[in-house]
Amino acid sequence: MIILHEVKIEGFKSIESARLELNDLNVVIGANGAGKSNLIGVFKLLERVLSENLQLYVASDPDRLLYHGRKKTPMLSLDFSFEQDSYEFELEVVQDKLIFRHERCIRIPRTAENMTDRSTIVSARSKGGFYVAEQPGAHGHKESRLKEIARLKEIAILSTGTEIGISQSVFFQLQDLSSIHHFQDMSDNSPAKQMADVDDNRFLRPDAANLAAYLYWLQEKHPVQFRHIEEHIRLVAPFFEKFVLAPSRLNERKIKLEWRQKGSDAYFDAYSLSDGSLRFICLAALLLQPSPPALILLDEPELGLHPFAIRILAEMLEAASRHVQVLLATQSVTLLNHFAPQDVIVAENDGLKTTFNRLDEEKLKDWLDDFSLGELWEKNVLGGRP
């Protein structure tokens, strides 16, 4: 289900200029250093903007966020386009800080002719067919004003006199775009292995710090989805029987991840799991939950997973993309083998800049009769290699 139709990037890290149209499922491949993670980083920057922590994120070092530094690129801009609304901002360097040059929400009137046309936003912009909602003089501020404007219910008035709460609409859509789920850290200090507050269960945190609490909530309130998660875990970890989830008997406000092994009555917790097994549990909880975020963002989710587990991961990703939008970066040939060409975006870096190109199934038709996508990637037919 597409929520974000297009993202435009200008001057961010290795990306000089890019415009990506997004599908339900978007799999970004490329060599090390090609810029895959920088695309995911666009949404990390968005999260810092929305949470009004931009200056803390910049930390007096704007050059690391700008394409070849401030001498080459004194400003950067991002533009996120939805079905009807758009949010864009431009940041410029001022005394070692990135300051908003402008920030605005845009809406194109919905008509029967443009509802299904993904190019409408682009063409309407060139024709001046947008109505802009922004605070008068909204420039020169250090942190985003979107939340403030949405809270004040600022509206745009069309020429017809119709009131449209653009800022509120955009703010609610953007909230689901800024959580990048990172399950790479599975060390003894991993957030997923720690005790969690039992009531911290409104959503699965990006680092899985509340994994036990969230699974407990699913167990109690969504047993069908909970059993579905357990079934998928058993597919890749046959020793796993089931979770044993309940508040701690010593502190009922806390909970930790506990489970039972087949044929054993010994005690097992998250520290008893391999890194790959625990990472897969996190991924299963994210992708099989009843109310996932509208856009799921993942960077190299295949790390530490067995090839069969990667196959199951691909099936979960494809199933999730029927209900929400998925964007992930990967270096796994095995994972790539399970996707269609139209799902794949190739990141290339010529030593100066990153470019993104979606695969054309028609151009690969003859190749695909004899080879998988992963094999074509290894043969450098797809690009995305050093």
Side-chain angles (χ1 to χ4, degrees):
M1 181 183 72
I2 297 175
I3 178 174
L4 181 63
H5 287 250
E6 182 181 85
V7 58
K8 288 181 63 178
I9 309 160
E10 301 286 341
F12 179 71
K13 294 192 174 182
S14 65
I15 307 169
E16 181 182 24
S17 179
R19 190 177 81 194
L20 283 84
E21 290 188 353
L22 299 178
N23 297 334
D24 293 324
L25 180 58
N26 306 272
V27 181
V28 185
I29 64 171
N32 290 329
K36 303 185 303 297
S37 294
N38 289 343
L39 177 58
I40 301 296
V42 164
F43 295 90
K44 185 175 183 179
L45 175 57
L46 175 64
E47 188 277 329
R48 295 299 190 271
V49 166
L50 295 180
S51 63
E52 300 176 14
N53 286 307
L54 174 63
Q55 299 311 317
L56 185 62
Y57 182 54
V58 174
S60 300
D61 186 17
D63 292 276
R64 66 187 177 87
L65 298 178
L66 295 165
Y67 175 71
H68 289 221
R70 74 183 80 181
K71 290 184 178 179
K72 171 74 174 178
T73 310
M75 63 186 66
L76 70 86
S77 66
L78 300 180
D79 187 340
F80 303 88
S81 296
F82 305 94
E83 181 180 17
Q84 190 178 3
D85 303 320
S86 178
Y87 171 66
E88 63 179 43
F89 61 82
E90 191 171 84
L91 303 173
E92 63 180 342
V93 179
V94 177
Q95 296 179 346
D96 290 332
K97 298 182 183 296
L98 283 178
I99 304 298
F100 283 86
R101 187 177 184 188
H102 76 243
E103 178 184 23
R104 57 176 170 249
C105 304
I106 299 171
R107 168 161 291 181
I108 179 169
R110 182 195 296 264
T111 67
E113 290 74 23
N114 68 33
M115 279 177 62
T116 58
D117 183 3
R118 291 184 62 181
S119 65
T120 299
I121 289 178
V122 177
S123 62
R125 181 187 299 278
S126 64
K127 296 175 183 177
F130 280 101
Y131 297 89
V132 179
E134 67 176 4
Q135 194 172 25
H139 57 83
H141 45 294
K142 295 181 179 180
E143 299 292 349
S144 170
R145 291 179 176 172
L146 180 63
K147 187 185 296 184
E148 173 190 351
I149 295 172
R151 185 169 57 245
L152 294 174
K153 299 182 179 180
E154 177 171 296
I155 57 175
I157 308 298
L158 300 187
S159 58
T160 60
T162 305
E163 295 184 354
I164 297 181
I166 298 177
S167 298
Q168 287 181 300
S169 173
V170 169
F171 182 71
F172 291 136
Q173 292 179 91
L174 286 168
Q175 281 184 311
D176 262 351
L177 301 188
S178 56
S179 293
I180 305 169
H181 288 83
H182 285 286
F183 304 137
Q184 278 87 341
D185 180 11
M186 293 293 125
S187 66
D188 284 350
N189 294 321
S190 165
K193 293 183 178 181
Q194 311 308 311
M195 294 280 285
D197 291 332
V198 72
D199 290 327
D200 184 8
N201 54 31
R202 293 188 182 277
F203 58 89
L204 181 64
R205 295 193 175 277
D207 59 358
N210 64 337
L211 178 62
Y214 193 73
L215 286 171
Y216 178 59
W217 173 73
L218 290 175
Q219 173 187 281
E220 298 301 306
K221 299 298 182 180
H222 297 276
V224 173
Q225 288 85 353
F226 179 76
R227 287 196 297 271
H228 200 198
I229 291 170
E230 288 187 316
E231 289 166 0
H232 277 72
I233 295 169
R234 283 193 286 270
L235 287 174
V236 303
F239 56 83
F240 175 87
E241 182 177 344
K242 66 177 183 178
F243 289 112
V244 181
L245 297 170
S248 170
R249 297 178 68 179
L250 297 177
N251 184 350
E252 293 188 355
R253 299 183 63 179
K254 296 290 186 178
I255 190 170
K256 66 185 301 186
L257 189 72
E258 297 173 295
W259 56 281
R260 181 174 298 166
Q261 181 171 307
K262 289 181 179 178
S264 174
D265 59 359
Y267 173 82
F268 294 97
D269 60 12
Y271 292 93
S272 308
L273 293 163
S274 69
D275 291 359
S277 296
L278 183 55
R279 186 174 294 114
F280 185 85
I281 290 173
C282 296
L283 290 165
L286 172 65
L287 296 170
L288 301 176
Q289 63 177 298
S291 301
L295 175 63
I296 293 177
L297 294 157
L298 292 165
D299 193 3
E300 299 187 7
E302 73 280 356
L303 290 178
L305 298 186
H306 183 275
F308 181 73
I310 292 177
R311 172 185 164 186
I312 302 301
L313 170 62
E315 293 175 358
M316 293 192 300
L317 288 165
E318 189 170 359
S321 71
R322 297 172 197 150
H323 308 285
V324 300
Q325 201 168 13
V326 177
L327 173 62
L328 66 106
T330 182
Q331 295 194 93
S332 171
V333 170
T334 304
L335 185 59
L336 180 61
N337 277 332
H338 296 283
F339 299 119
Q342 63 267 22
D343 299 329
V344 180
I345 299 170
V346 180
E348 297 270 19
N349 193 314
D350 61 3
L352 294 175
K353 62 182 181 296
T354 296
T355 56
F356 301 97
N357 296 286
R358 191 175 291 276
L359 293 183
D360 186 330
E361 185 173 12
E362 189 61 31
K363 291 182 179 179
L364 296 172
K365 185 176 180 180
D366 293 338
W367 283 99
L368 291 171
D369 289 338
D370 299 308
F371 301 99
S372 69
L373 275 182
E375 290 171 327
L376 293 180
W377 190 18
E378 289 182 310
K379 294 177 182 295
N380 207 22
V381 173
L382 308 181
R385 285 189 54 185

